[in-house]
Amino acid sequence: MAKDPTALYEQGASANSEVFVIPRRTWIERYAERATEPLHLNLLALFFQVFGTFSSKVGFDLVRPRKYAFATLEAARNARDQGKRKVTIIEFGVAAGGGLLGMCALARSVAEVTGVEFEVVGFDTGVGMPSPVDFRDHPDLYQAGDFPMDQQALRKKLPANARLLIGELEYTVPNFLAELNPEAPIGFAALDVDYYSSAVNALRIFADPNPSKYLPLPILYLDDIVLPSHSRFSGELLAVEEFNATHEYRKIDQHRFLRSQRIFKQARWIDQMFLLHVFDHPVMRTAGSRPRKMYSPVDVRS
Ligand SMILES: C[S@@+](CC[C@H](N)C(=O)[O-])C[C@H]1O[C@@H](n2cnc3c(N)ncnc32)[C@H](O)[C@@H]1O
């Protein structure tokens, strides 16, 4: 008799007690990536490193984490365009908290330059990865108990505008969404939960019937799509495909042509940026309410 394929994954925390600490990227690795960019742009970046404004430093990829720096600044600008004074930014999958604390620091800097305030929210089980459900969760890469968190230590470091929501995404996401104030709509979410099954529950954040809980074009960063075994048939990308198939007026698409807008074009994070198109947002239904557009007249001489 064929075995239930999911039985393989019904393990508790990893049976292996060895711990593998993921090494940080070395300076040599970072400079190696920059070395592939044109020399004159690297020299210009040195100038902006010393004399640049915060926004220009983000433009030159000098503020880290670069993906969060770009998205946080963009979310604030988009919120301001919509007349909002506050915007919500989210990290799904917090682990030790490096990403969330980075997001909080960026929110502080971006608030200073844009005047837009932030609500920062981090979602996590608090005890590391749950068990994978099946092959779509990539048990080849991730397992139960990976990425534990020291909740107490992390909470002590979080600023007043940041919240850590602990529990299974299946429950914490709908609870959070129910109380989300449209005056601080979602402008950016980073998805770093590794599993397909977790990503499905995280993306429910974009399914509230009230479109005003979102900016018209929130940014979505997908972390776990870069390894050779990641594909549209598993992991976070599969969750995105299913989200698009089941939501008529909400569609997630790659941030097309972002590369052409960036100064440094080789950075990997550019390919990890997506946008949620909120087609039922009020701004998508206001044709005729803006001044007519026209090109400046061309001087045609005969
Ligand atoms: C790779 S780690 C996140 C790393 C973090 N973003 C950083 O930059 O350091 C993935 C995290 O997702 C969380 N996670 C995965 N599935 C989850 C679920 N169903 N509910 C809540 N948290 C989940 C795990 O607890 C784990 O801490």
Side-chain angles (χ1 to χ4, degrees):
M1 203 171 77
K3 274 193 178 168
D4 172 5
T6 60
L8 183 63
Y9 312 111
E10 284 165 6
Q11 53 193 20
S14 167
N16 187 348
S17 59
E18 257 178 67
V19 174
F20 172 71
V21 179
I22 298 171
R24 292 190 180 279
R25 289 183 84 199
T26 63
W27 282 106
I28 294 172
E29 283 169 323
R30 289 181 182 184
Y31 282 122
E33 185 189 291
R34 270 298 168 89
T36 64
E37 303 279 6
L39 180 63
H40 69 284
L41 293 179
N42 274 309
L43 291 175
L44 213 53
L46 279 179
F47 174 83
F48 277 96
Q49 175 81 70
V50 180
F51 299 109
T53 59
F54 177 80
S55 306
S56 66
K57 285 180 184 168
V58 173
F60 274 89
D61 272 352
L62 295 167
V63 184
R64 289 183 182 271
R66 296 169 294 174
K67 62 222 178 187
Y68 286 5
F70 161 78
T72 305
L73 183 58
E74 202 68 3
R77 286 173 171 162
N78 293 341
R80 204 174 46 189
D81 288 350
Q82 294 300 314
K84 300 290 179 189
R85 300 160 69 105
K86 229 179 198 189
V87 65
T88 297
I89 59 175
I90 298 170
E91 183 177 59
F92 290 107
V94 174
L100 189 66
L101 290 171
M103 216 179 226
C104 292
L106 286 163
R108 200 164 42 245
S109 304
V110 173
E112 273 170 27
V113 297
T114 61
V116 175
E117 297 297 324
F118 285 86
E119 294 283 340
V120 185
V121 186
F123 286 90
D124 205 285
T125 60
V127 291
M129 296 297 291
S131 291
V133 175
D134 61 30
F135 71 93
R136 293 170 296 181
D137 284 348
H138 276 292
D140 52 323
L141 300 172
Y142 321 109
Q143 62 187 342
D146 280 353
F147 311 120
M149 167 190 283
D150 182 344
Q151 239 188 92
Q152 258 189 334
L154 180 55
R155 280 190 194 282
K156 277 189 199 146
K157 293 181 188 158
L158 290 177
N161 66 336
R163 272 192 290 167
L164 188 57
L165 300 182
I166 294 296
E168 262 294 327
L169 293 168
E170 185 182 354
Y171 307 107
T172 50
V173 169
N175 289 344
F176 167 76
L177 204 48
E179 64 180 40
L180 177 72
N181 182 353
E183 284 313 306
I186 295 173
F188 167 44
L191 190 55
D192 188 5
V193 290
D194 303 348
Y195 289 167
Y196 153 79
S197 58
S198 302
V200 167
N201 287 324
L203 289 179
R204 294 204 172 122
I205 199 81
F206 291 141
D208 194 277
N210 180 0
S212 297
K213 290 190 177 179
Y214 312 99
L215 290 181
L217 213 50
I219 298 163
L220 173 66
Y221 164 79
L222 299 185
D223 193 73
D224 306 298
I225 61 173
V226 298
L227 298 177
S229 64
H230 288 139
S231 74
R232 288 184 292 125
F233 310 104
S234 61
E236 292 175 354
L237 285 174
L238 177 60
V240 165
E241 297 245 326
E242 289 184 5
F243 178 92
N244 286 337
T246 49
H247 295 88
E248 191 179 2
Y249 295 119
R250 309 268 169 91
K251 302 288 180 190
I252 296 167
D253 198 5
Q254 194 135 27
H255 196 324
R256 296 173 187 280
F257 299 99
L258 177 59
R259 185 178 311 286
S260 67
Q261 296 161 25
R262 297 299 302 170
I263 296 166
F264 291 115
K265 303 189 190 300
Q266 304 294 340
R268 188 178 72 178
W269 65 265
I270 296 174
D271 292 326
Q272 292 171 272
M273 285 296 169
F274 288 68
L275 294 167
L276 171 74
H277 297 261
V278 184
F279 290 119
D280 55 342
H281 195 279
V283 302
M284 302 297 281
R285 311 206 165 201
T286 53
S289 63
R290 287 182 298 272
R292 236 166 6 124
K293 285 182 183 148
M294 65 178 277
Y295 292 111
S296 56
V298 182
D299 186 12
V300 184
R301 290 164 209 267
S302 54

